[in-house]
Amino acid sequence: MGRGSFVILVWLLLLNGLFLLPSMALPGNTPWFSLEALIVWALICGLRKPEQKYRVGQALAFLYGLLVFLVLADALVRESLGRGLNLYLELGLLDAAWNLLDTNLGAGLAVLALIILAVLLTGVGRLFRYGLEGLAQHSPARLGKPLWLVSGLFLAGTVTPWIGSPALAFVANQASLITHTHQTTRNFAKELNAGPGRQSQPSPLAKLAQTDVILGFIESYGVSTVTDERYRSLVGPGLEAMGQSLDAAGLTVATGRLQSPIQGGQSWLGHLSVLSGQWIHNQLAYETLLSSGYATLIDDFRSTGHTTLAVMPAITRAWPEGRLFRYDRIYDHDDLDYQGPPFNWVTMPDQYTWHRFQAIRDSHKGPLFAELALISSHAPWVPILPVLDDWQSIGNGEVFQRWKGAGEAPVSLWRDPDRVRKHYGQAIVYALEVAGGFAAHYLSQNALMIILGDHQPAPLITGEDASRDVIVHVVSADPKLVEPFLSGELPGFRPGIRPDPETPGATMSRFRPFLHRHFGQP
């Protein structure tokens, strides 16, 4: 083999390796040979003018850098949300992604991370361009036509596991996802507008007419906390303590499971699935339902005579879509009058949120329906605060100033996945202890409290292919309000503080119809 042939082989192997990178985002085994490398080689050989080769090389390098960015984005989405990249959905989440980076890392580190990403992508693009230039410099123009012929033979060989076209397959997969998601969204909108029905219109829940109904979503409270041995030793004793506290207060509790449409993030999709009785599995379905005027539990309880409230401590900016929920009142971060410090992403601890909600509850006459978003168990799970025994000492939250700056920096903690998992378990124990403490202190005879997770945490915490079920606790001083949940209609519910570990839960979308059947008008 001559020196020229050897150089060509080196650059070709480099390009082949670069083109195989997108196979990381595709199912199946990684092939050995990339069809795209041959096609690009043939294309470069067919260009005679140097300026043409330069312009085509620059364009291909830019496109390859964009492709690498999408592959990295796919890996991030899989690790955080438990699904693959879908450009049709992800473009609407850029603001939420930046907010998460900003609050957990700080603006400076977040910008630095983006700069490092840009430098990395620029470097990969340049490496790709150098590979093209090396091939162009050492490959004679006469190779162009034979290479197109070889590319055709390789195309036929893509049916084998050794030859593939990962870059083209990745792009085709995204195009297919965009088309499918668009069509699914259109079909969903048609279903919502197909005609009036019990679910699409407000339906009074007459058997809860004089009952406060409290729907509290605990962030990332998934079934892995009781089925995964890494968390059982942490969360198990916390659940037992919660059960003993509820029992001592004379409260009845039933526990089960529901399947969430999401994992690792986008809590609002789980919230709306429960509220609407529809399967809200992506942002487009969320926006479609909200804009349709479709009724939810909020409308059901308003028609029953309840004042409807949302307690949202994580809402720190304008939330225009909040009005589409049609709550009578939304209490966001500023409305909750918290005077303590934030704790990384967590704007205020759950114990303050529960305490402040009780003050709101005391100030209202008549029954309430309230949705609470409880965020102390949101990543980065540092610091873990102690639970204050004296709820009356909480006041306006200044008591939490003593823990300002407590705990290590998230960047330090997240270098060790095992320690991250331990902190996750501890955060869930905290959230359960304060939720149980609230119920033991303040849940009266005419109240039904439903505590549930919004979704499982990210695959980093649960492992791959974990169930998407969340845990649901139904608590009341009136056993008759809990009894319907033990009817068997929602599988996996049973008396006590632990769910059935073997029985998968019903989907969240079945919760509203269940309430209609058992608490609605005959």
Side-chain angles (χ1 to χ4, degrees), residues 245 349-358 387-397 399-400 430-442 449:
S245 174
D350 283 358
Q351 192 169 17
Y352 178 83
T353 302
W354 283 116
H355 167 76
R356 183 71 177 90
F357 166 65
Q358 183 57 33
V387 177
L388 302 181
D389 294 329
D390 183 6
W391 284 69
Q392 299 305 316
S393 69
I394 295 174
N396 62 6
V399 67
F400 295 105
Y430 169 85
L432 291 173
E433 186 174 351
V434 294
F438 171 85
H441 279 85
Y442 300 113
M449 180 175 172

Coordinates of all heavy atoms in Angstrom, one line a residue, residues 245 349-358 387-397 399-400 430-442 449:
S245 N -48.0 8.2 62.3 CA -48.5 9.5 62.6 C -49.9 9.7 62.2 O -50.7 10.2 62.9 CB -47.6 10.5 61.9 OG -48.1 11.8 62.0
P349 N -39.2 25.5 51.2 CA -39.4 24.1 51.6 C -40.8 23.7 51.6 O -41.7 24.6 51.9 CB -38.7 24.1 52.9 CG -38.7 25.5 53.4 CD -38.6 26.4 52.2
D350 N -41.1 22.4 51.4 CA -42.5 21.9 51.5 C -43.2 22.3 52.8 O -44.4 22.5 52.8 CB -42.5 20.4 51.3 CG -42.3 20.0 49.9 OD1 -42.1 20.9 49.0 OD2 -42.2 18.8 49.6
Q351 N -42.4 22.3 53.9 CA -43.1 22.5 55.2 C -43.7 23.9 55.2 O -44.8 24.1 55.7 CB -42.2 22.3 56.3 CG -42.9 22.2 57.7 CD -42.1 21.8 58.8 OE1 -40.8 21.8 58.7 NE2 -42.7 21.4 59.9
Y352 N -43.0 24.9 54.6 CA -43.6 26.2 54.5 C -44.8 26.2 53.6 O -45.8 26.9 53.9 CB -42.6 27.2 54.0 CG -43.2 28.6 53.9 CD1 -43.3 29.4 55.0 CD2 -43.7 29.1 52.7 CE1 -43.9 30.7 54.9 CE2 -44.3 30.3 52.6 CZ -44.4 31.1 53.7 OH -45.1 32.3 53.7
T353 N -44.7 25.5 52.5 CA -45.8 25.5 51.5 C -47.1 25.0 52.2 O -48.2 25.5 52.1 CB -45.5 24.7 50.3 OG1 -44.3 25.2 49.7 CG2 -46.6 24.7 49.3
W354 N -46.9 23.9 52.9 CA -48.1 23.3 53.7 C -48.6 24.3 54.7 O -49.8 24.4 54.9 CB -47.7 22.0 54.3 CG -47.6 20.8 53.4 CD1 -46.5 20.0 53.1 CD2 -48.7 20.2 52.7 NE1 -46.9 19.0 52.2 CE2 -48.2 19.1 52.0 CE3 -50.1 20.5 52.6 CZ2 -49.0 18.2 51.2 CZ3 -50.9 19.6 51.8 CH2 -50.4 18.6 51.1
H355 N -47.7 24.9 55.5 CA -48.1 25.8 56.5 C -48.8 27.0 55.9 O -49.8 27.4 56.5 CB -46.8 26.3 57.2 CG -47.0 27.5 58.1 ND1 -47.6 27.4 59.4 CD2 -46.6 28.8 57.9 CE1 -47.6 28.6 59.9 NE2 -47.0 29.4 59.1
R356 N -48.3 27.5 54.8 CA -49.0 28.7 54.2 C -50.3 28.3 53.6 O -51.3 29.1 53.7 CB -48.1 29.2 53.1 CG -48.6 30.5 52.5 CD -48.5 31.7 53.4 NE -49.0 32.9 52.7 CZ -50.3 33.3 52.7 NH1 -51.2 32.6 53.3 NH2 -50.6 34.4 52.0
F357 N -50.4 27.1 53.1 CA -51.7 26.6 52.6 C -52.7 26.5 53.7 O -53.9 26.9 53.5 CB -51.5 25.3 51.9 CG -52.8 24.6 51.6 CD1 -53.8 25.1 50.7 CD2 -53.2 23.4 52.3 CE1 -55.0 24.5 50.5 CE2 -54.4 22.8 52.1 CZ -55.3 23.4 51.2
Q358 N -52.3 26.1 54.9 CA -53.3 26.0 55.9 C -53.8 27.4 56.3 O -55.0 27.6 56.7 CB -52.7 25.3 57.2 CG -53.6 25.1 58.3 CD -54.9 24.3 57.9 OE1 -54.8 23.4 57.1 NE2 -56.0 24.6 58.6
V387 N -37.2 18.6 59.6 CA -38.6 18.9 59.7 C -38.8 19.6 61.1 O -38.3 19.1 62.1 CB -39.5 17.7 59.6 CG1 -40.9 18.1 59.9 CG2 -39.3 17.0 58.3
L388 N -39.4 20.8 61.1 CA -39.6 21.5 62.3 C -40.8 20.9 63.1 O -41.9 20.7 62.5 CB -39.9 23.0 62.0 CG -38.8 23.7 61.2 CD1 -39.2 25.2 61.0 CD2 -37.5 23.6 61.9
D389 N -40.6 20.6 64.4 CA -41.6 20.0 65.2 C -42.7 21.0 65.4 O -43.9 20.6 65.5 CB -41.0 19.5 66.5 CG -40.1 18.3 66.3 OD1 -40.3 17.5 65.4 OD2 -39.1 18.2 67.1
D390 N -42.4 22.2 65.6 CA -43.4 23.3 66.0 C -43.8 24.0 64.7 O -43.1 24.9 64.2 CB -42.8 24.3 66.9 CG -43.8 25.3 67.4 OD1 -45.0 25.2 67.0 OD2 -43.4 26.3 68.1
W391 N -44.9 23.6 64.1 CA -45.4 24.2 62.9 C -45.8 25.6 63.1 O -45.7 26.4 62.1 CB -46.7 23.4 62.4 CG -46.3 22.1 61.8 CD1 -45.8 21.0 62.4 CD2 -46.4 21.8 60.4 NE1 -45.6 20.0 61.5 CE2 -46.0 20.4 60.2 CE3 -46.9 22.5 59.2 CZ2 -46.0 19.8 59.0 CZ3 -46.8 21.8 58.0 CH2 -46.4 20.5 57.9
Q392 N -46.1 26.0 64.3 CA -46.5 27.4 64.5 C -45.3 28.3 64.5 O -45.4 29.6 64.3 CB -47.2 27.6 65.9 CG -48.5 26.8 66.0 CD -49.5 27.1 64.9 OE1 -49.7 28.3 64.6 NE2 -50.1 26.1 64.3
S393 N -44.1 27.8 64.6 CA -42.9 28.6 64.6 C -42.5 29.0 63.2 O -41.6 29.8 63.0 CB -41.7 27.9 65.3 OG -41.3 26.8 64.5
I394 N -43.1 28.4 62.2 CA -42.7 28.6 60.8 C -43.0 30.0 60.3 O -42.1 30.7 59.6 CB -43.4 27.6 59.9 CG1 -43.0 26.2 60.2 CG2 -43.2 27.9 58.4 CD1 -43.8 25.1 59.4
G395 N -44.1 30.6 60.7 CA -44.4 32.0 60.4 C -44.3 32.3 58.9 O -44.8 31.7 58.1
N396 N -43.5 33.4 58.6 CA -43.3 33.8 57.2 C -42.1 33.2 56.6 O -41.7 33.5 55.5 CB -43.2 35.3 57.2 CG -42.0 35.9 57.9 OD1 -41.1 35.1 58.4 ND2 -41.8 37.2 58.0
G397 N -41.5 32.2 57.2 CA -40.4 31.4 56.6 C -39.0 31.9 57.0 O -38.0 31.3 56.6
V399 N -37.6 31.6 59.7 CA -37.0 30.6 60.5 C -36.0 29.7 59.7 O -35.1 29.1 60.2 CB -38.1 29.7 61.2 CG1 -38.8 28.9 60.1 CG2 -37.5 28.8 62.2
F400 N -36.2 29.6 58.4 CA -35.4 28.8 57.5 C -34.1 29.5 57.1 O -33.2 28.9 56.5 CB -36.1 28.4 56.3 CG -37.3 27.5 56.5 CD1 -38.6 28.0 56.5 CD2 -37.1 26.2 56.9 CE1 -39.7 27.2 56.7 CE2 -38.2 25.3 57.2 CZ -39.5 25.8 57.1
Y430 N -38.2 13.4 53.5 CA -38.5 14.8 54.0 C -39.9 15.1 53.5 O -40.8 15.6 54.3 CB -37.5 15.8 53.6 CG -38.0 17.2 53.8 CD1 -37.8 17.8 55.1 CD2 -38.6 18.0 52.8 CE1 -38.2 19.1 55.3 CE2 -39.1 19.3 53.1 CZ -38.9 19.8 54.3 OH -39.3 21.1 54.6
A431 N -40.2 15.0 52.2 CA -41.5 15.4 51.6 C -42.6 14.6 52.3 O -43.7 15.2 52.5 CB -41.4 15.2 50.1
L432 N -42.4 13.3 52.5 CA -43.4 12.5 53.1 C -43.7 12.9 54.6 O -44.8 12.9 55.0 CB -43.0 11.0 53.0 CG -43.0 10.4 51.6 CD1 -42.5 9.0 51.7 CD2 -44.4 10.4 51.0
E433 N -42.6 13.2 55.3 CA -42.8 13.5 56.7 C -43.6 14.8 56.9 O -44.4 14.9 57.7 CB -41.4 13.6 57.3 CG -41.5 13.9 58.8 CD -40.1 13.9 59.5 OE1 -39.1 13.5 58.9 OE2 -40.1 14.2 60.7
V434 N -43.3 15.8 56.0 CA -44.0 17.0 56.2 C -45.5 16.9 55.7 O -46.4 17.5 56.2 CB -43.3 18.2 55.5 CG1 -42.0 18.5 56.2 CG2 -43.1 18.0 54.0
A435 N -45.7 16.1 54.6 CA -47.1 15.9 54.2 C -47.9 15.1 55.2 O -49.0 15.5 55.5 CB -47.1 15.1 52.8
G436 N -47.3 14.1 55.8 CA -47.9 13.4 56.9 C -48.1 14.3 58.1 O -49.2 14.2 58.8
G437 N -47.2 15.1 58.4 CA -47.3 16.0 59.5 C -48.4 17.0 59.3 O -49.2 17.3 60.3
F438 N -48.6 17.5 58.1 CA -49.7 18.4 57.8 C -51.0 17.7 58.1 O -51.9 18.2 58.7 CB -49.6 18.9 56.4 CG -50.9 19.6 55.9 CD1 -51.0 21.0 56.2 CD2 -51.9 19.0 55.3 CE1 -52.2 21.7 55.8 CE2 -53.1 19.6 54.9 CZ -53.2 21.0 55.2
A439 N -51.1 16.5 57.5 CA -52.4 15.7 57.7 C -52.7 15.5 59.1 O -53.8 15.6 59.6 CB -52.3 14.4 56.9
A440 N -51.7 15.1 59.9 CA -51.9 14.8 61.3 C -52.3 16.0 62.1 O -53.1 15.9 63.0 CB -50.6 14.2 61.9
H441 N -51.8 17.2 61.7 CA -52.1 18.4 62.5 C -53.4 19.0 62.0 O -54.2 19.6 62.9 CB -51.0 19.4 62.2 CG -49.8 19.2 63.1 ND1 -48.8 18.3 62.8 CD2 -49.4 19.7 64.3 CE1 -47.8 18.4 63.7 NE2 -48.2 19.2 64.7
Y442 N -53.7 19.0 60.7 CA -54.8 19.9 60.2 C -55.9 19.2 59.5 O -56.9 19.9 59.1 CB -54.1 20.9 59.3 CG -53.1 21.7 59.9 CD1 -51.7 21.6 59.6 CD2 -53.4 22.6 60.9 CE1 -50.8 22.4 60.2 CE2 -52.5 23.4 61.5 CZ -51.1 23.3 61.2 OH -50.2 24.1 61.8
M449 N -57.7 14.1 51.5 CA -56.3 14.5 51.0 C -55.7 13.4 50.2 O -55.7 12.3 50.5 CB -55.4 14.8 52.3 CG -54.0 15.2 52.0 SD -53.2 15.6 53.5 CE -51.5 15.8 53.0

